[in-house]
Amino acid sequence: MKEMLKRIFLVAFILLVLTAISGFFYMQKHPLEGKKSTGQNMNLSGQKVK
């Protein structure tokens, strides 16, 4: 039982770290364009709304 809990926490921690790393690299490649997109709103799919 204790070994199974250790394994669950280890897998969850590894997934959290991988998510943080991939999110970091994604934000390096696609920075937030708050200042550039003045007057242009985007919907959830990333398309510009007229």
Side-chain angles (χ1 to χ4, degrees), residues 19-47:
T19 305
I21 292 172
S22 63
F24 174 75
F25 283 117
Y26 178 82
M27 290 307 293
Q28 294 295 316
K29 194 171 184 182
H30 306 282
L32 290 175
E33 301 174 2
K35 296 179 181 175
K36 289 183 183 176
S37 61
T38 53
Q40 294 177 350
N41 292 329
M42 290 189 172
N43 58 12
L44 288 176
S45 63
Q47 297 170 342

